[in-house]
Amino acid sequence: MKIAVAGKGGSGKTTVSGTIARELARAGHSVLALDADTNPMLGISLGVGPEETYRMLAVRQGTDAMPEHEHTVEGMIEAFGTDAPDGVRLVIALREAHVDPG
Amino acid sequence: MAAGAAKPYPQFWGTVGMRPARRRPGVVADVDWPPGERPLRVVVVGKGGAGKSVIAGTMARLLARRGRRVLALDTDTMPGLALSLGIEAPATPPLVDAVDKAPHGCWRLKKGVGPVRAVQRFSTLAPDGVRVLEVGDHPTIDVKSVTPSVQAFYQVIHGLPEAKALQAWTMVGDHPAGPRQTVHDWAPYADTLLIVAEPTWKSALTARRLAEIARHRDAAVIVVGSKVRSAADVERLERMLGERVAATVPADDAVAGCDRLGVALIDHAPSSPAVRAIDGLVEGLVQGRLAQVATP
């Protein structure tokens, strides 16, 4: 299944997404958790911890000398991802590339 | 941080067909203002739900009550600032009538419409005499319909630092959640960046990143603790952030109450702890005595 979670800031999107991902993984599913927020905080709700969450965000922004582009989906999951508890793979999917708001 | 950190996000200006104006202090710096009378130029940033709009809207109203001419700027296409100021959000993006299409395909302000004219013609009047300029809502699910307003707004705000006619005006901006607009310089008028953060990790990490981004521009950076329940909450937030919290707004049921009713906090609960704290924040800004985030 493919699920997208949306809503206003602070309403609980990330907490709901992270918990759904963990629960599905515990039920035996292979789970890819995609953080498509320009302010990616899903790592906190998945339980990877604040320092790793912050490191992932820097990796995706290419601000710490890591390659900024990957050409394959597998490469992106590897380069811009990290392992979360229960076997969930977290991938930071979006970067700030457009000046328009929203 | 990697080499080249002085300009970490260089490639984004193409989408609006222009580059931001070269940074200088703007016309506010041309006057030797008496103590406590310098017009504030503030933008409020932070994680979603941290309380940005409530703080920005209430600050704008309180500053207007202190006799200042106040321009409130809402660059969120999901406008919350209007509610916090006590007015209805506009039905259509106000600046759609201010633009035409440039040969390169981007929207630009019509001939004869500069930043000052745009503020005069297209801003809305809120209680206490606050003028509000809003980027506007998506009228439909079609994002294209708000693009002309967005691009015009970007040009307007980049004209504000040098707008002589608005030299004595205080400006209070409200950014959408997250770091995006701060990265893309959506508040060139601001000499002060107020980072609003709750004592939670998500909020603190967002604030930490905003403080990092803010170091690439010459604005004072001030952290405001929001929804704070105790002194321990402030200590916790400072530990998470690695920065000093300069002012706090307490957790206050009045804020939740006015959000449920869709009314402005300052009208709904004018003597609530949150409004009193925001008034203290305003006083600290006016007197220039709030601690700034340490720059490396």
Side-chain angles (χ1 to χ4, degrees), chain B residues 38-60:
Chain B
R38 185 189 168 97
L40 301 184
R41 300 290 176 97
V42 184
V43 65
V44 183
V45 301
K47 193 188 168 295
K52 291 181 296 300
S53 295
V54 170
I55 290 175
T58 308
M59 272 179 55

Side-chain angles (χ1 to χ4, degrees), chain A residues 8-10 14-15 38-41 44-45 50-51 53-54 57 61 63-65 95-102, chain B residues 1-2 9 11-13 15-16 47-49 75 150 154 178-181 183-184 186 201-202 205-206 208-209 212:
Chain A
K8 192 196 170 296
T14 308
T15 306
T38 52
N39 186 39
M41 291 294 151
I44 299 289
S45 293
E51 293 316 315
T53 300
Y54 201 70
L57 163 168
Q61 294 303 322
T63 51
D64 61 354
R95 56 186 278 273
E96 291 141 2
H98 204 273
V99 73
D100 283 3
Chain B
M1 195 166 282
Y9 306 100
Q11 71 273 45
F12 304 116
W13 310 111
T15 53
V16 289
K47 193 188 168 295
T75 42
V150 166
Y154 197 74
R180 186 177 192 165
Q181 287 202 344
V183 168
H184 297 296
W186 273 85
W201 271 111
K202 285 173 197 160
L205 291 186
T206 306
R208 205 198 279 179
R209 181 140 171 262
E212 225 167 75

Side-chain angles (χ1 to χ4, degrees), chain B residues 108-157:
Chain B
R108 65 177 176 198
L109 289 171
K110 281 178 187 162
K111 220 167 172 211
V113 183
V116 175
R117 185 71 57 85
V119 169
Q120 285 169 340
R121 255 198 227 162
F122 300 102
S123 66
T124 317
L125 193 61
D128 297 322
V130 175
R131 306 285 332 181
V132 198
L133 189 62
E134 291 168 272
V135 72
D137 205 345
H138 296 166
T140 67
I141 53 164
D142 177 13
V143 175
K144 270 188 192 136
S145 55
V146 80
T147 301
S149 180
V150 166
Q151 295 186 354
F153 204 103
Y154 197 74
Q155 289 168 57
V156 170
I157 53 174

Side-chain angles (χ1 to χ4, degrees), chain A residues 1-101:
Chain A
M1 66 190 98
K2 297 179 178 67
I3 306 170
V5 179
K8 192 196 170 296
S11 60
K13 295 181 291 298
T14 308
T15 306
V16 168
S17 316
T19 309
I20 289 174
R22 290 281 300 272
E23 287 286 358
L24 285 170
R26 285 184 182 184
H29 296 269
S30 304
V31 180
L32 191 60
L34 296 169
D35 197 338
D37 196 323
T38 52
N39 186 39
M41 291 294 151
L42 184 54
I44 299 289
S45 293
L46 281 171
V48 305
E51 293 316 315
E52 179 64 4
T53 300
Y54 201 70
R55 189 189 71 81
M56 288 305 300
L57 163 168
V59 165
R60 192 66 191 104
Q61 294 303 322
T63 51
D64 61 354
M66 295 277 293
E68 204 178 346
H69 298 288
E70 279 290 332
H71 300 288
T72 63
V73 172
E74 292 76 14
M76 290 172 86
I77 292 170
E78 178 58 36
F80 306 130
T82 191
D83 288 326
D86 297 326
V88 174
R89 181 73 182 174
L90 166 65
V91 176
I92 308 300
L94 206 73
R95 56 186 278 273
E96 291 141 2
H98 204 273
V99 73
D100 283 3

